[in-house]
């Protein structure tokens, strides 16, 4: 199981490196080009490419962050075992729900 | 004169200061021996070979784990001062002597021992010196179990179950031993959350190993091996 988590964290990190770079460049472009929130939502509305990109981004975050947090908690606290794993699955579900909610919101806005 | 602060006690204790005459080519082992023979016979430390063969005399010298016998005072002392402590990440028996049982239990947990199988080979194995497996095993085989890498490792300090660089290095030499018959069991043994995946690649073990072994690379090899194993469907 730990080996699979190790692979999942490395693969999601690679995705996040690329997706994070694209996301930051997009933010810089929006901030410097004078687009309003309405302009941005106009472009995200119904855009299948952006929907797919940010869905992938959110999934990568929901995989990567809980695995890393689990390791940090194992090293810095006595918390171990099934309770920790269940908490991290719940944390992953929370990240996924909040992230996908935002992705869907800007897609249908 | 050399001012030497030496840890006295176990987990709790204090530093005691001794003044030791400086001598040419003096080693840290010479210093603790002078203290024990001439000043305080109750000082406990461990040594055997005195020449860097056995690894018994490992201790923390001015903040770094080192072999006392192979560390010259001239290279380790700062302003004619030395601070000597027991190895970190080990229970302290007394003063500079530490308990190694847990350390070697982790070698066993990592299956860090040769497994010939139930039906040993009829003849000698022919292992080419140039083969990649032989070279990978050779790179880590000179470990003498002194515990310096274990003392230097931050992850061992954080996770008491972490197998540690020495045990994982030994496991990697055996993964590459073509005669060994316990490859799958060994990879399973080092695959857990406190196995090779816990390594943060700080490389303190590799920097401080007196034998110039690179446990970090051995652990990286184990990571590749367990990933391959996991992708093949083994758990």
């Amino acid at each position: 199981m730990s080996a699979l988590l190790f692979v999942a964290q490395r693969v999601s990190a690679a995705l996040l490196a690329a997706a994070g770079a694209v996301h930051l460049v997009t933010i810089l472009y929006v901030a410097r080009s004078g687009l309003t929130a309405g302009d941005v939502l106009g472009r995200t509305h119904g855009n299948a490419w952006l929907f797919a990109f940010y869905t992938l981004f959110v999934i990568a975050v929901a995989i990567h962050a809980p695995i890393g947090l689990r390791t940090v908690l194992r090293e810095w606290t006595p918390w171990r075992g099934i309770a920790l794993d269940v908490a991290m699955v719940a944390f992953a579900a929370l990240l996924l729900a909040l992230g996908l909610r935002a992705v869907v919101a800007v897609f249908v806005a | 004169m050399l001012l030497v602060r030496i840890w006295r006690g176990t987990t709790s204790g204090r530093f005691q200061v001794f003044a030791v005459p400086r001598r040419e080519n003096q080693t840290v082992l010479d210093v603790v021996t002078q203290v024990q023979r001439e000043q305080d016979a109750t000082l406990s430390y461990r040594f055997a070979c005195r020449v860097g063969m056995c690894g018994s005399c490992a201790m923390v010298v001015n903040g770094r784990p080192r072999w006392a016998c192979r560390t010259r005072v001239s290279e380790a002392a700062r302003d004619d001062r030395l601070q000597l402590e027991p190895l970190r990440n080990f229970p302290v028996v007394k003063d500079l002597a530490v308990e190694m049982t847990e350390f070697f239990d982790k070698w066993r947990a990592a299956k860090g021992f040769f497994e010939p199988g139930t039906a040993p080979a009829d003849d000698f194995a022919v292992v080419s010196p140039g083969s990649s497996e032989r070279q990978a095993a050779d790179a880590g085989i000179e470990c003498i179990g002194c515990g310096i890498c274990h003392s230097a490792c931050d992850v061992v300090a954080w996770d008491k179950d972490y197998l540690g660089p020495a045990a994982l290095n030994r496991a990697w030499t055996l993964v590459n031993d073509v005669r060994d018959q316990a490859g799958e069991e060994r990879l399973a043994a080092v695959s857990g959350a406190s196995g090779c995946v816990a390594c943060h690649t700080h490389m303190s073990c590799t920097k401080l190993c007196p034998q110039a072994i690179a446990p970090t690379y051995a652990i990286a090899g184990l990571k590749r091996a367990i990933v391959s194993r996991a992708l093949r469907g083994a758990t």
Side-chain angles (χ1 to χ4, degrees):
Chain A
M1 189 60 188
S2 294
L4 289 174
L5 290 177
F6 179 76
V7 174
Q9 198 184 25
R10 262 69 186 164
V11 171
S12 59
L15 283 172
L16 285 173
V22 171
H23 181 60
L24 285 172
V25 169
T26 306
I27 290 172
L28 288 173
Y29 170 73
V30 169
R32 295 173 69 88
S33 62
L35 292 174
T36 64
D39 295 334
V40 173
L41 288 175
R43 294 178 186 206
T44 60
H45 177 76
N47 188 324
W49 285 108
L50 278 178
F51 180 82
F53 173 76
Y54 279 104
T55 298
L56 186 65
F57 196 155
V58 166
I59 292 171
V61 169
I63 292 172
H64 190 81
I67 298 173
L69 182 62
R70 177 176 176 268
T71 301
V72 172
L73 289 170
R74 279 178 53 85
E75 287 176 357
W76 289 84
T77 73
W79 200 10
R80 304 281 169 97
I82 192 74
L84 174 61
D85 293 343
V86 169
M88 290 304 101
V89 170
F91 180 52
L94 179 69
L95 288 175
L96 196 63
L98 292 175
L100 290 179
R101 178 170 169 266
V103 172
V104 171
V106 296
F107 182 72
V108 301
Chain B
M1 277 295 199
L2 190 66
L3 280 182
V4 191
R5 280 163 51 86
I6 303 180
W7 180 257
R8 304 305 304 272
T10 55
T11 308
S12 61
R14 63 185 175 82
F15 283 100
Q16 187 176 357
V17 180
F18 298 91
V20 177
R22 284 295 307 266
R23 297 189 195 287
E24 202 176 349
N25 298 325
Q26 189 177 26
T27 67
V28 173
L29 185 61
D30 294 333
V31 170
V32 288
T33 302
Q34 198 278 345
V35 170
Q36 194 201 52
R37 290 186 180 173
E38 309 294 335
Q39 302 190 45
D40 186 345
T42 67
L43 175 67
S44 298
Y45 62 100
R46 188 180 284 135
F47 76 99
C49 75
R50 300 170 294 142
V51 289
M53 299 284 286
C54 71
S56 307
C57 65
M59 62 180 69
V60 175
V61 181
N62 277 359
R64 284 188 171 206
R66 313 179 71 146
W67 290 341
C69 70
R70 299 288 285 177
T71 302
R72 289 187 194 278
V73 171
S74 57
E75 68 181 89
R78 286 193 288 265
D79 300 326
D80 282 335
R81 289 170 189 272
L82 276 181
Q83 179 162 299
L84 307 180
E85 303 162 68
L87 287 178
R88 294 172 187 141
N89 301 331
F90 290 85
V92 181
V93 177
K94 180 174 171 286
D95 302 339
L96 301 173
V98 296
E99 170 62 55
M100 306 289 283
T101 305
E102 203 173 272
F103 173 69
F104 287 113
D105 283 348
K106 288 182 175 182
W107 285 47
R108 188 178 302 279
K111 237 179 153 36
F113 51 90
F114 180 70
E115 178 55 73
T118 51
D122 295 330
D123 203 353
F124 292 110
V126 178
V127 183
S128 165
S131 69
S132 59
E133 291 89 351
R134 176 61 187 262
Q135 290 188 347
D138 278 355
I141 203 65
E142 295 295 341
C143 174
I144 58 173
C146 66
I148 280 185
C149 58
H150 203 76
S151 174
C153 179
D154 290 324
V155 183
V156 174
W158 297 329
D159 179 356
K160 64 178 177 52
D161 296 328
Y162 177 49
L163 294 171
L168 293 169
N169 175 74
R170 180 66 184 130
W172 178 240
T173 63
L174 289 158
V175 166
N176 285 286
D177 188 331
V178 295
R179 305 164 304 161
D180 186 88
Q181 299 296 313
E184 274 299 304
E185 294 95 315
R186 188 168 295 104
L187 289 179
V190 301
S191 287
S194 294
C196 61
V197 297
C199 171
H200 284 238
T201 321
H202 289 168
M203 301 189 77
S204 301
C205 55
T206 298
K207 182 174 175 58
L208 293 170
C209 175
Q211 294 285 74
I213 294 171
T216 311
Y217 299 131
I219 294 168
L222 286 176
K223 286 175 178 173
R224 290 193 300 274
I226 66 157
V227 165
S228 300
R229 179 173 175 274
L231 296 179
R232 288 198 309 269
T235 55

